[in-house]
Amino acid sequence: MAQQANVGELLSMLDSPILGVLEDITAAFKDNLICDRGPMLVNNLVDYYLETNSQQALHILSTLQEPHDKHLLDKINEYMGKAATRLPTLSLLGHVIRRQPSWKHKLSQAPLLLSLLKCLKTDTDVVVLTTGVLVLITMLPMIPQSGKQYLHDFFGIFGRLSAWCLQNSGHVAEIYLVHLHASVYALFHRLYGMYPCNFVSFLRSHYSMKENLETFEEVVKVEKTRNS
């Protein structure tokens, strides 16, 4: 209980406008993370970030080292399963992986990757999908060659979101669709750059089907033309 109260006290001062206090509190958190290898402090920081959008909490979470990487990924995975917290959780994940953490090679074995893929296969919130695609694009180069078992998932997500852009063009605000289009095009570039033969084979197979022809003409062909 004393430890929990201490953590609560530290959190309450984490966004202090006084620079000296802020530096002391941040240093205290980092010292505690070195001494305490359990998940409680990381869990509290994630909770606090999702409640307050604290930039100081985000900074600490984005610079975590082993063994706290597992605690962070587990907590993010927990919140990914809840629709109410999915978007800010994806934003947190994006911030973390853009820092190129030393433990990035572990992402392909973490349950979080499967949760991200599930989100991109099933979610219907355009902002969640856009954010999730950008996270996947950033994560792809961090997944070793052993991650090739997910190629079908990566390509299927591209196919789903390409069609989703077209099918929902009259039901979603144009500004959101513009961002999703841009994200899907970026995914096209990433997949083509990393897996050219596999991806071209998928495009030929998937878009040879009659029901996918309109998506090919309106979305995919445009991108292929830009690539030429």
Side-chain angles (χ1 to χ4, degrees), residues 204-217:
R204 286 173 176 163
S205 172
H206 186 72
Y207 293 107
S208 65
M209 293 182 277
K210 185 178 180 180
E211 61 268 29
N212 298 325
L213 186 58
E214 184 181 6
T215 302
F216 178 80
E217 292 291 336

Side-chain angles (χ1 to χ4, degrees), residues 133-202:
V133 171
L134 293 175
V135 169
L136 180 62
I137 291 166
T138 306
M139 192 184 291
L140 278 170
M142 303 177 187
I143 298 174
Q145 286 301 304
S146 58
K148 278 194 169 183
Q149 75 255 34
Y150 298 116
L151 283 186
H152 179 75
D153 298 296
F154 301 153
F155 298 162
I157 286 167
F158 173 81
R160 184 218 175 196
L161 295 184
S162 296
W164 199 93
C165 287
L166 188 63
Q167 293 163 3
N168 291 273
S169 59
H171 308 287
V172 176
E174 185 177 355
I175 185 64
Y176 293 136
L177 277 179
V178 168
H179 286 295
L180 183 58
H181 269 287
S183 301
V184 172
Y185 289 154
L187 180 61
F188 179 99
H189 284 284
R190 180 71 85 204
L191 293 174
Y192 185 77
M194 290 184 65
Y195 313 106
C197 296
N198 303 83
F199 191 45
V200 168
S201 177
F202 162 78

Side-chain angles (χ1 to χ4, degrees), residues 21 34 39 64 79 192:
V21 173
I34 292 172
L64 287 174
Y79 277 124
Y192 185 77

Side-chain angles (χ1 to χ4, degrees), residues 2-20:
Q3 188 178 14
Q4 290 179 348
N6 185 45
V7 170
E9 186 178 342
L10 289 174
L11 287 171
S12 70
M13 295 186 288
L14 188 56
D15 290 292
S16 170
I18 303 172
L19 182 59

